[in-house]
């Protein structure tokens, strides 16, 4: 691969509280080799001649955004679940109606379009929390990991990296109710058989890695939680778990196990620095302390949590307790990490009726380095020499961003303001267009197919 060179009007460099002007960025073989401000005190004395062949990036250039929590097929539900009143559980029934219709070919097509929408939004890596493992009646495909392979291939075709979080999903309720109806295709029988199947999946391509997931304490019996945790630990793989998205989950866990879901996960060695709890919307103070002292990360999904009327998680208290925060678009009610990031601050304002909880640099970190780390890509999400060469450029001259100072971009920009996206040194989006996927056309066609 040849070297590439860019000149960013502004770039958000690591450990800075605001963007830096006129930054020369070079990459070779998918890694940054130069990240140098050309003006100001740090400027080199001889740098003018390098500018002629650099690709100019007007606006603010960020590290790659990481979408740490995705269920790709939920994209088919966008805008279709707003009739009537309903709650998380009625939404889930609608989600299951789509789930039963997918097979490896149709899931590849839908996920390719969804991941290409993510690329347009500046997302260079996705954490796919995957549980549609088997045929609709629970019978494994000839290749028991055919659905995982479809998702990994979809990410390759969309030009982004993926961490396939293979979810163990065995029961329908905390008290061990069996999977029924649409849920049958999620299950492997027990955690040992889940582990065997998951271990057999070795994805093609340097763009993919595999992690593990406990769907939730509803879906994995307590005595089998440590099997999943051990599987991840032995492989040094990330481990994700849906946690306390709903008060009903806490109530059921207390009734069956006499403790909160967080306590149960701690006792079964599920928590730790390689673990990410998704949502954690309804934790107790003791839960927050447990998550923080084990350095368990929390992935907030504010646009989904608001869409499903889940509630507002205590983001500031989580961060203060020691949990790194990452972001996910989860149900894809929207795919816009700028909106997820500012919602962390804005929701906290609604809850506390005070402003100023997270400086902009903290929101950038959640959307970039912390998200990549939660997905096992600790060498991505920073504009720094040696890091993976991901770049996301947001225009500062659109109707939404004109007149906005670069430091305020996260409070004004939307996914539609992203114009250039580079993943591992390759341009995936240029001038606001995906280079290989007609995203609206493919979304329209694939969603029509699974919602007929
Ligand atoms: Zn989820």
């Amino acid at each position: 691969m040849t070297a590439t060179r860019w000149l960013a009007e502004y770039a958000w460099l690591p450990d800075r509280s605001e963007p830096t002007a006129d930054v020369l960025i070079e990459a070779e073989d998918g890694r940054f080799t130069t990240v140098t401000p050309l003006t100001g005190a740090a400027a080199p004395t001889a740098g003018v001649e390098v500018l002629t062949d650099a690709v100019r990036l007007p606006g603010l250039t960020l590290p790659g955004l990481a979408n740490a929590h995705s269920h790709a097929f939920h994209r088919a539900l966008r805008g279709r679940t707003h009739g009537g009143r309903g709650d998380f559980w009625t939404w889930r029934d609608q989600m299951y109606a789509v789930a039963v219709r997918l097979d490896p070919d149709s899931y590849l097509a839908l996920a390719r379009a969804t991941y290409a929408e993510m690329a347009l939004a500046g997302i260079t890596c996705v954490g796919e929390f995957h549980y549609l493992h088997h045929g609709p009646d629970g019978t494994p495909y000839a290749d028991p990991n055919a659905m995982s392979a479809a998702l990994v291939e979809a990410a390759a075709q969309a030009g982004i990296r993926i961490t396939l979080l293979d979810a163990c999903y065995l029961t329908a309720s905390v008290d061990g109710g069996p999977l029924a109806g649409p849920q049958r295709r999620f299950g492997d029988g027990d955690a040992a058989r889940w582990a065997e199947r998951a271990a057999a999946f070795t994805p093609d391509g340097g763009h993919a890695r595999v992690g593990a997931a406990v769907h939730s304490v509803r879906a994995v019996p307590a005595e089998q939680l440590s099997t999943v945790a051990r599987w991840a630990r032995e492989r040094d793989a990330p481990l994700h778990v849906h946690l306390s998205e709903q008060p009903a989950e806490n109530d059921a866990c207390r009734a069956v196990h006499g403790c909160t879901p967080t306590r149960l996960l701690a006792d079964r060695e599920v928590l730790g620095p390689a673990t990410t709890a998704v949502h954690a919307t309804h934790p107790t103070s003791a839960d927050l302390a447990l998550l923080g002292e084990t350095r368990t990360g929390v992935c907030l999904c504010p646009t989904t949590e608001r869409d499903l009327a889940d509630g507002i998680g205590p983001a500031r208290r989580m961060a203060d307790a020691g949990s790194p925060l990452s972001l996910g678009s989860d149900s894809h009610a929207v795919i816009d990490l700028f909106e997820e990031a500012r919602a962390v601050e804005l929701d906290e304002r609604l809850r506390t009726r005070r402003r100023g909880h997270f400086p902009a640099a903290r929101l950038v970190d959640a959307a970039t380095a912390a998200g990549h780390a939660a997905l096992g890509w600790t060498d991505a999400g920073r504009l720094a020499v040696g890091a993976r060469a991901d770049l996301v450029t947001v225009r500062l001259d659109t109707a939404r961003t004109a007149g906005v100072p670069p430091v305020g971009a996260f409070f004004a920009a939307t996914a539609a303001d992203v114009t250039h996206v580079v993943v591992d040194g390759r341009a995936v989006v240029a001038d606001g267009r995906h280079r290989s996927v007609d995203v609206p056309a493919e979304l329209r066609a694939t969603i029509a197919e699974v919602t007929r």
Side-chain angles (χ1 to χ4, degrees), residues 69-71 74 88 91 129 131 215 241-242 245 278-279 301 304 308 329-331:
H69 189 65
S70 160
H71 308 283
H74 292 190
F88 171 87
W91 168 86
F129 195 109
Y131 52 84
H215 178 275
V241 52
H242 287 129
E245 182 177 5
V278 181
H279 304 300
C301 307
T304 291
L308 296 179
S329 65
D330 189 5
S331 69

Side-chain angles (χ1 to χ4, degrees), residues 219-267:
V220 180
E223 71 281 3
Q224 299 187 53
L225 288 168
S226 54
T227 303
V228 185
R230 200 178 321 119
W231 188 99
R233 220 168 19 248
E234 283 169 358
R235 287 162 178 77
D236 210 11
L239 172 61
H240 287 219
V241 52
H242 287 129
L243 179 65
S244 295
E245 182 177 5
Q246 295 292 324
E249 176 184 295
N250 292 356
D251 296 344
C253 194
R254 279 204 184 85
V256 174
H257 300 296
C259 64
T260 65
T262 302
R263 180 78 251 174
L264 184 69
L265 296 177
D267 291 347

Side-chain angles (χ1 to χ4, degrees), residues 384-409:
V385 171
R388 286 175 175 271
D390 293 1
L391 296 173
V392 175
T393 303
V394 189
R395 297 292 299 219
L396 295 175
D397 58 359
T398 70
R400 290 163 294 276
T401 59
V404 172
V407 70

Side-chain angles (χ1 to χ4, degrees), residues 370-381:
H372 279 102
L375 298 175
W377 304 88
T378 50
D379 56 352

Side-chain angles (χ1 to χ4, degrees), residues 427-441:
V428 175
V429 173
D431 298 322
R433 288 185 172 273
H434 197 287
R435 297 187 70 170
S436 58
V437 179
D438 182 341
V439 180

Side-chain angles (χ1 to χ4, degrees), residues 400-419:
R400 290 163 294 276
T401 59
V404 172
V407 70
F410 259 74
F411 283 95
T414 71
D417 301 313
V418 171
T419 51

